[in-house]
Amino acid sequence: LGSGVSVEGDEATVEDDADGLLGGLDIETTEEIEVPDRLVDQVIGQDHARDIVKKAAKQRRHVMMIGSPGTGKSMLAKAMSQLLPKEDLQDVLVYHNPDDGNEPKVRTVPAGKGEQIVDAHKEEARKRNQMRSFLMWIIIIAIIGYALFFARSILLGILAAGIVFLVFRYLNRGSDAMIPNLLVNNANQQVAPFEDATGAHAGALLGDVRHDPFQSGGMETPSHDRVEAGAIHKANKGVLFIDEMNTLDIRSQQKLMTAIQEGEFSITGQSERSSGAMVQTEPVPTDFIMVAAGNLDAMENMHPALRSRIKGYGYEVYMDDTIEDEPEMRRKYARFVAQEVEKDGRLPHFTEEAVEEIILEAQRRSGRKEHLTLKLRDLGGLVRVAGDIARAEDKEFTEREDVLQAKRRSRSIEQQLADNYIERRKDYELTVSDGSVVGRVNGLAVMGEDSGIVMPVMAEVTPSQGPGEVIATGKLQEIAEEAVQNVSAIIKKFSDEDISEKDIHIQFVQSYEGVEGDSASVTVATAVISALENIPIEQDVAMTGSLSVRGDVLPVGGVTHKIEAAAKSGIDRIIIPAANEQDVMIEDEYKDQIEIIPVQHLSEVLEVALAGEPEKDSLVDRLRSITGKALDRQVGP
Ligand code: ADP
């Protein structure tokens, strides 16, 4: 130990079993893993984006990054600033303009020079003031002496001395006003600047001139001293990063575009009624590389001219959400844990088992077979919560159980809400998980991104006065109609009932805003068939799946979360589309609680879900016989 362990391809440290959760990495704790210095080397996955960033830094091109939050966009933008030459950095000074006090002059000098110039001015002003003070005291003493000796009036002496004092103060202030304002100071900058202007208001982005409450009478602050740099000026020779570009108001976007085009931008007061609005500096350099980020939506709502500007003079790159789960990648995820621990600075390093648990979570959160999630901000959050738990207990290292506890704690708002619903429904016994009921099916829905919820569906079929209608409660009308339409073709063939002459009422029990229902069509179909044929449905079963017109059960999203929600609600069995079997990554604690039944066809769903032997068997048989072709195609001979 002691010496650093290299993550990439260091033979000595890689065990034989590259199949292990750590991809063969042989460590006891993450302390042994070396974290690369450069940010660009710390980025995990996103190879494409990383290449682009390297290339764009070399060519000084703008970049647009599109992708989910927390996948490394700002990290890459920052990494880009580290790749830019530091030699080019400049300081910017603003000087009083004796010809026009409202148009301060702007001068650019090499980085580090700015401070020297200001210091020199200060020193000069100090000397001048010293000289003046000296002169002033001599005059004051002379006046008082004169007044006492000749006029014999101390009052007259003090009055005269006071006037002299004020005159000199005014002169000193005048010489202070000659000191330039160091607007941008890069003296201590080790790398090119990185400015994050996400959500910045106009002043913070474009610069501002402060209001002066005393606009005259010798009390005013000279205008050049009230000038403040915006992110576009601070980012000069570096990187300006803006996430969620579309939230920037259109006027600011237009001005941003001007700054990009001209490479310089004057500073003026941003609030119209302030005295700062009268001031406008000479142009201040804004020679930055723009990295604009956001999701697809943000890009579409961005000012078209600005977008085409970036596009025309740069690159657009899409960020990955997941990456293939390979031994090398797992070793990098171990390094990720080390990176996050070191970045935080206070967390205990992780033991091997604790890292394994993080990698399992990365698999689970990817929602795809043999993939790891790249939403690493959230995963980093888990690392921090786990580390904090260990730290609170004064542990030397963060252990597996800390990670497990952190997982329970660091649930998203949606998950917490969903759990809350599950609890409350149990109280009111809204989730029925035993017995059998006609027309009622335990469906499943996804809430937010990462939590499932049991959403029962009830169907009732009544004779219609006119043409049959599908009547659903709430926003799920469309889904209900589509599901009924899909199932009606099948029903027509095997049932004597003509559903086009019936009203079908569908109720999504306790559905609420934010629930996605596109995966409910198998549920709706099952409820309708049960109601139509008057055959009860087992309530210890929950189901999810989409339905084709031929009765094929098609894959849906969020299966893992749905299964976990069903298990938490006390459901014993869950029907999922066979095509989703590979996406199941439920946590160990649920594995014994629930039986997962993958199906390919609606007839299989009914076989599992319907109760009451004779009716059910005949129904399933009929369904099989009419849709046999579809089944053959899927199952094979
Ligand atoms: P975004 O800008 O895409 O919302 P960030 O770059 O701000 O995401 O990521 C937040 C944090 O998450 C980073 O500081 C880093 O700790 C971690 N992170 C995100 N993506 C990656 C990645 N691809 N590799 C390593 N760490 C990452």
Side-chain angles (χ1 to χ4, degrees):
L1 306 188
S3 70
V5 173
S6 159
V7 168
E8 270 138 309
D10 189 337
E11 293 301 321
T13 60
V14 176
E15 284 173 343
D16 291 341
D17 82 306
D19 297 339
L21 262 176
L22 295 190
L25 190 68
D26 181 18
I27 50 160
E28 269 167 40
T29 74
T30 50
E31 209 170 13
E32 299 156 39
I33 299 177
E34 201 170 349
V35 174
D37 291 334
R38 292 196 316 175
L39 209 51
V40 72
D41 300 320
Q42 292 183 12
V43 175
I44 302 198
Q46 315 295 8
D47 283 351
H48 180 51
R50 200 162 37 164
D51 288 348
I52 295 277
V53 158
K54 283 184 184 163
K55 211 184 316 173
K58 220 174 269 167
Q59 304 167 344
R60 299 194 62 83
R61 299 272 190 211
H62 306 298
V63 180
M64 186 133 83
M65 292 179 186
I66 303 166
S68 306
T71 49
K73 296 187 291 294
S74 87
M75 187 179 185
L76 273 165
K78 201 168 186 176
M80 190 170 176
S81 70
Q82 295 181 350
L83 299 175
L84 293 172
K86 152 177 199 267
E87 293 72 56
D88 296 348
L89 299 192
Q90 298 172 327
D91 290 343
V92 179
L93 295 152
V94 188
Y95 287 83
H96 172 66
N97 182 350
D99 299 332
D100 183 352
N102 280 333
E103 199 191 336
K105 290 178 176 299
V106 171
R107 295 289 173 269
T108 309
V109 294
K113 274 269 182 322
E115 256 177 12
Q116 292 171 12
I117 292 173
V118 170
D119 286 348
H121 271 91
K122 274 189 187 155
E123 180 60 21
E124 203 178 309
R126 198 182 59 81
K127 273 192 197 144
R128 200 180 310 132
N129 289 354
Q130 226 170 20
M131 270 298 291
R132 284 209 187 114
S133 302
F134 183 68
L135 208 69
M136 177 184 80
W137 284 115
I138 292 204
I139 295 175
I140 286 178
I141 288 167
I143 287 177
I144 292 181
Y146 181 87
L148 277 178
F149 205 77
F150 292 100
R152 303 202 169 262
S153 158
I154 180 84
L155 223 69
L156 194 68
I158 289 176
L159 198 71
I163 292 171
V164 169
F165 182 79
L166 285 178
V167 167
F168 272 90
R169 239 193 62 161
Y170 187 73
L171 286 176
N172 280 359
R173 266 187 36 80
S175 70
D176 283 348
M178 295 304 121
I179 300 175
N181 169 7
L182 183 50
L183 191 68
V184 177
N185 183 4
N186 278 318
N188 300 317
Q189 196 73 27
Q190 298 306 319
V191 289
F194 167 78
E195 285 294 319
D196 185 345
T198 304
H201 57 86
L205 179 68
L206 307 167
D208 208 347
V209 181
R210 280 197 311 276
H211 179 65
D212 183 6
F214 312 104
Q215 288 165 45
S216 61
M219 294 284 280
E220 73 267 26
T221 313
S223 62
H224 79 277
D225 240 1
R226 289 184 277 126
V227 175
E228 289 173 351
I232 56 170
H233 309 107
K234 294 184 200 157
N236 185 38
K237 302 291 174 193
V239 171
L240 181 71
F241 175 72
I242 304 185
D243 204 351
E244 293 163 31
M245 192 60 155
N246 56 323
T247 61
L248 205 64
D249 66 280
I250 288 292
R251 270 183 54 198
S252 294
Q253 290 194 39
Q254 257 156 357
K255 290 181 177 166
L256 182 62
M257 191 162 60
T258 310
I260 291 176
Q261 261 161 1
E262 312 280 328
E264 52 180 31
F265 197 83
S266 296
I267 300 177
T268 185
Q270 296 293 338
S271 73
E272 269 159 37
R273 268 176 302 169
S274 106
S275 64
M278 296 190 310
V279 178
Q280 181 165 34
T281 67
E282 288 179 352
V284 180
T286 57
D287 180 21
F288 54 78
I289 294 174
M290 170 96 216
V291 179
N295 53 22
L296 258 186
D297 210 37
M299 294 302 125
E300 274 158 17
N301 292 323
M302 190 171 151
H303 193 298
L306 180 57
R307 166 141 196 213
S308 73
R309 182 88 208 162
I310 298 179
K311 210 170 166 179
Y313 292 83
Y315 299 98
E316 286 190 308
V317 45
Y318 199 86
M319 304 290 287
D320 296 324
D321 278 353
T322 62
I323 188 148
E324 261 174 67
D325 181 7
E326 285 166 349
E328 188 197 334
M329 212 24 84
R330 291 182 182 184
R331 298 199 289 273
K332 286 194 180 160
Y333 272 67
R335 192 193 73 205
F336 168 74
V337 175
Q339 276 171 204
E340 294 293 307
V341 167
E342 287 191 4
K343 195 168 79 176
D344 186 274
R346 293 164 310 165
L347 308 175
H349 270 285
F350 280 49
T351 63
E352 186 181 3
E353 295 76 28
V355 177
E356 285 175 352
E357 204 56 51
I358 296 282
I359 289 176
L360 279 176
E361 185 65 12
Q363 289 176 335
R364 220 175 70 83
R365 289 191 184 182
S366 79
R368 273 177 83 179
K369 194 186 182 187
E370 279 156 28
H371 275 74
L372 299 165
T373 182
L374 276 172
K375 291 186 179 161
L376 289 174
R377 181 191 290 151
D378 293 348
L379 203 66
L382 182 66
V383 169
R384 274 183 292 284
V385 174
D388 276 340
I389 291 171
R391 198 163 70 99
E393 292 174 17
D394 278 332
K395 288 190 189 170
E396 193 187 352
F397 294 111
T398 307
E399 291 163 6
R400 179 165 180 268
E401 65 196 56
D402 302 320
V403 179
L404 291 177
Q405 201 180 334
K407 270 203 239 178
R408 284 192 289 273
R409 240 192 245 178
S410 67
R411 287 169 313 164
S412 68
I413 296 289
E414 284 90 358
Q415 274 172 311
Q416 294 179 31
L417 207 62
D419 281 357
N420 206 332
Y421 268 101
I422 291 173
E423 278 308 308
R424 254 191 289 161
R425 279 189 191 188
K426 271 188 187 157
D427 289 350
Y428 296 117
E429 290 175 356
L430 278 166
T431 309
V432 183
S433 57
D434 52 25
S436 60
V437 181
V438 171
R440 184 188 191 287
V441 179
N442 283 317
L444 291 157
V446 175
M447 199 175 164
E449 271 192 9
D450 52 4
S451 44
I453 188 157
V454 177
M455 189 172 71
V457 172
M458 311 245 246
E460 187 133 1
V461 180
T462 55
S464 179
Q465 309 295 57
E469 265 187 286
V470 176
I471 302 152
T473 51
K475 286 189 166 178
L476 299 168
Q477 175 79 29
E478 250 175 61
I479 297 153
E481 269 174 23
E482 207 178 299
V484 171
Q485 244 164 32
N486 282 3
V487 80
S488 67
I490 301 170
I491 291 176
K492 236 182 240 158
K493 286 195 189 157
F494 79 80
S495 174
D496 307 332
E497 312 270 353
D498 184 356
I499 59 168
S500 65
E501 286 169 7
K502 311 232 182 232
D503 283 340
I504 301 177
H505 300 257
I506 294 172
Q507 191 192 357
F508 293 87
V509 181
Q510 290 254 306
S511 76
Y512 44 88
E513 294 283 321
V515 163
E516 312 244 336
D518 56 341
S519 53
S521 51
V522 164
T523 316
V524 173
T526 308
V528 170
I529 291 176
S530 157
L532 196 66
E533 299 284 324
N534 204 22
I535 305 176
I537 290 165
E538 304 276 12
Q539 297 297 309
D540 68 333
V541 179
M543 61 183 71
T544 182
S546 200
L547 196 63
S548 83
V549 278
R550 310 184 57 170
D552 302 318
V553 176
L554 307 174
V556 292
V559 210
T560 299
H561 305 301
K562 288 173 177 170
I563 297 174
E564 290 182 354
K568 277 190 231 171
S569 305
I571 303 271
D572 298 328
R573 298 180 289 161
I574 175 165
I575 298 172
I576 65 165
N580 278 127
E581 217 180 336
Q582 56 177 16
D583 304 327
V584 176
M585 268 164 289
I586 58 172
E587 298 210 40
D588 288 343
E589 58 175 299
Y590 300 118
K591 283 191 179 142
D592 303 330
Q593 289 182 25
I594 194 155
E595 182 191 350
I596 299 167
I597 306 167
V599 300
Q600 290 182 323
H601 194 264
L602 186 62
S603 59
E604 296 167 73
V605 176
L606 298 180
E607 174 131 42
V608 174
L610 294 184
E613 287 307 324
E615 297 92 339
K616 164 183 158 180
D617 287 351
S618 101
L619 184 80
V620 172
D621 283 349
R622 268 184 287 160
L623 197 56
R624 274 214 189 110
S625 67
I626 57 139
T627 54
K629 258 193 212 137
L631 260 182
D632 285 346
R633 185 171 47 74
Q634 293 231 333
V635 182

